[in-house]
Amino acid sequence: MGTFSGYRCTLCGAEYPPRQPIYTCPADGGNLNVLLDLRQVRRQLGADQLPLEGEPSLWRYLPLLPVDDPGGRGTALRLAGWTPVLEPVRLAAELGLRRLWVKDESRNPSASFKDRASAVLMARARQIKAEVVVTASTGNAGAALACMAAALGSKAVIFAPRQAPPAKVAQLLVFGATVLLVDGNYDDAIELSLQASTAFGWYCRNTGYNPFTAEGKKTAAFEIWDWRRRLSPDFELSQLKLFVPVGDGNIISGIHKGFKDLQALGWIAAPPQLIGVQAEGSAAIANAYLRQTEQIAPVQAHTIADSISVDLPRDGVRAVRAAVQTGGRYVLVSDAEILAGIAQLGKAGVFAEPAGAAAYAGLVKARREGWIGSDDPVLVLNTGSGLKDVRAAMQAVKEAPIIEPSLAALKRMIQSTNLHDTT
C-alpha cells in the first residue's frame, strides 16, 4: 500500500493525522484530500515497475492507494476496475473525429463506475474494523457498496430515494444489503444517512463526503495513463479531451486527483483536459464554473439521468477545480440530448445509462459548437450500464413492432417500413 500520511482540507489547507473516522474538515466542512507519501512511492517504484502489473483490476495500483490489500480473492471485490477502452469507429466517422474512444465502466462487477470507490472504501472499512457501512444512493453507489460488502461478508445499510429505478433497487436487495427507501429525494437520503452514521457509529461511504471515495475513483486516471502508455497513440496525454458526467462532482474530482498523483510522481508531464458534463436540470457545478466562482448554489434538480441528479453537490469545489486546473470546461445537455446519446452509443455496442450517455451528449454538443476539433483525441467515460434504467432506455428508441407469426405479415411490414431503419 501507499504510505497514508493524513488529510488536507480543500478549502483552508489545514492538515489532519490519519485517524478514523474523519470525513470533512472540522474547521470549515471542506472536503478532505487523502495524503500519500509519494516521495516514498517514487523511491520504490518507477512508471514501469508496478509490482502488480499482471493484476487485471484496480488493485494493480495498490502501491498508489491508501489502503492495505483487502483480500477477497475470487470475489467481485477483485474485479473492480481495469475496464476496457473501446474505439467506436462508426461514431467517430459520424462526428468527424479522427480519434475517439469510450471507456466502458459498465463492465464493473455491479455495472457502474461506483465499484471503484466502494472497493477501496470497503478495504478501508476492513482496515479500521468497521462493522457496518452506510450510504445514501440513487442506486449505483449503493449497488456498488452492497456488492463489495457481500464480497467481504460485511454489513451494508443503504438509503435510497423511493423513486430510484427499480433495477437499481433490485441490485441492492439481491446483494443482501439492508435497504431503506426514503420518501424524498437524494439529498433527503444523504441527510438521513449522515444522521444514522453519527447516531449509530456506522462508517459512512457517502460520495463526496468520505475522502476514500475519491481514492477509488482516481484509479480510472491510472488506467487511462496505463492505456495511453501501452498503446502509444500519437498524442500526448495532455492533449486528450476527457468527457466526464458530473452530479455530486466526486468522479471528476477523483480522476483529477489521480492525474495529480501521477504528475507528483513525475510519471506524466500534464493531465488531460477534463470536461465535465451536467444535465441542464442539475447544473449546480456547471453554473458555478460559468460564473467563475467556487461558490456552489443549490438547484432544484430534475433530469432523467438520476445518477447525476443532485440539488446540492457534495464535491462541487473540487469538481470546478478539476476543469479549471486542467484547461477543461463544463457543458450542459438536455434530457432529449441524453436520450439521443443512449441510442447513439448503442450503435457502437455500448448500452449506457443516462448519466453515461450524458458524457457522449456533451461531446456531440461540443462538436456542434465547434470547440472540439476533428483532430482532437477524445475519450468519453460511460459510467454505467443501461440495464440500470431500462425505462429511460426505452424512451431513447422506437418500440418494436408486433406482427402476426406469418411470412405474409412479415412481408407487409417490410413493404410498409424501411426494414433497415431500426433506430
Side-chain angles (χ1 to χ4, degrees):
M1 63 171 284
T3 303
F4 172 35
S5 58
Y7 307 92
R8 180 182 294 125
C9 177
T10 300
L11 300 181
C12 69
E15 295 191 5
Y16 301 95
R19 65 180 186 271
Q20 285 290 340
I22 181 171
Y23 299 109
T24 57
C25 179
D28 56 21
N31 292 102
L32 296 176
N33 287 317
V34 169
L35 301 178
L36 295 178
D37 186 349
L38 293 176
R39 288 176 300 178
Q40 178 176 320
V41 174
R42 191 164 54 243
R43 285 195 299 268
Q44 295 174 345
L45 298 175
D48 297 314
Q49 297 174 328
L50 289 174
L52 303 177
E53 191 79 17
E55 175 80 20
S57 75
L58 63 81
W59 299 108
R60 71 194 281 115
Y61 309 108
L62 186 60
L64 308 181
L65 297 174
V67 293
D68 294 326
D69 188 325
R73 285 173 175 75
T75 70
L77 186 82
R78 308 301 299 199
L79 298 176
W82 203 238
T83 55
V85 176
L86 311 177
E87 190 170 4
V89 176
R90 178 179 174 185
L91 293 185
E94 289 179 359
L95 290 172
L97 291 173
R98 191 163 68 86
R99 296 169 294 190
L100 171 64
W101 300 273
V102 175
K103 187 164 178 61
D104 189 8
E105 293 291 304
S106 72
R107 311 298 181 91
N108 275 299
S110 78
S112 88
F113 188 98
K114 303 297 179 65
D115 284 334
R116 295 178 181 274
S118 288
V120 172
L121 193 286
M122 285 307 304
R124 189 61 185 169
R126 169 160 284 198
Q127 228 174 345
I128 63 173
K129 298 179 172 55
E131 295 183 1
V132 179
V133 183
V134 63
T135 197
S137 171
T138 58
N140 281 346
L145 174 61
C147 179
M148 299 305 156
L152 292 178
S154 301
K155 296 177 182 177
V157 177
I158 296 153
F159 295 96
R162 65 177 299 183
Q163 298 303 321
K168 293 184 178 182
V169 175
Q171 275 192 299
L172 308 179
L173 295 169
V174 169
F175 287 137
T178 297
V179 181
L180 299 167
L181 298 180
V182 177
D183 192 8
N185 61 17
Y186 173 55
D187 294 83
D188 295 323
I190 285 179
E191 290 305 318
L192 185 54
S193 69
L194 296 178
Q195 294 172 28
S197 175
T198 300
F200 306 121
W202 296 342
Y203 189 48
C204 187
R205 179 233 180 269
N206 279 357
T207 296
Y209 179 69
N210 189 311
F212 283 83
T213 57
E215 291 299 295
K217 293 174 182 180
K218 77 178 185 181
T219 59
F222 298 161
E223 290 178 19
I224 292 168
W225 159 75
D226 225 339
W227 159 76
R228 161 64 182 81
R229 74 187 180 107
R230 288 170 181 276
L231 293 185
S232 298
D234 57 345
F235 64 90
E236 295 297 327
L237 189 62
S238 60
Q239 296 176 284
L240 184 68
K241 321 294 184 185
L242 177 54
F243 283 76
V244 182
V246 177
D248 257 319
N250 196 235
I251 290 179
I252 196 169
S253 66
I255 290 174
H256 186 213
K257 172 71 156 54
F259 285 120
K260 286 193 293 186
D261 283 357
L262 291 171
Q263 198 168 7
L265 286 165
W267 295 0
I268 64 171
Q273 296 171 42
L274 299 183
I275 299 167
V277 184
Q278 287 210 287
E280 290 177 347
S282 181
I285 296 172
N287 291 342
Y289 169 83
L290 293 170
R291 294 195 311 269
Q292 298 184 340
T293 179
E294 291 184 349
Q295 298 298 316
I296 311 296
V299 298
Q300 192 68 38
H302 180 73
T303 173
I304 195 170
D306 68 286
S307 292
I308 54 173
S309 181
V310 182
D311 290 356
L312 179 60
R314 306 288 164 152
D315 206 356
V317 172
R318 290 191 298 190
V320 169
R321 291 177 183 175
V324 172
Q325 294 178 6
T326 63
R329 61 188 294 175
Y330 272 83
V331 58
L332 296 175
V333 294
S334 67
D335 279 2
E337 290 170 321
I338 290 171
L339 289 173
I342 293 175
Q344 290 161 345
L345 283 171
K347 295 177 183 178
V350 177
F351 191 14
E353 69 168 347
Y360 184 77
L363 169 60
V364 173
K365 190 167 188 176
R367 282 293 288 149
R368 186 169 65 245
E369 294 179 350
W371 51 271
I372 291 292
S374 59
D375 288 330
D376 287 333
V378 176
L379 178 63
V380 173
L381 187 68
N382 170 39
T383 48
S385 169
L387 290 173
K388 298 274 192 173
D389 192 348
V390 174
R391 289 179 302 185
M394 292 305 294
Q395 294 180 56
V397 293
K398 294 179 180 178
E399 291 187 8
I402 299 173
I403 64 171
E404 299 171 0
S406 70
L407 185 60
L410 176 59
K411 289 179 178 178
R412 288 194 298 271
M413 189 275 293
I414 292 174
Q415 290 171 354
S416 62
T417 64
N418 181 355
L419 183 62
H420 299 291
D421 183 10
T422 57
T423 60

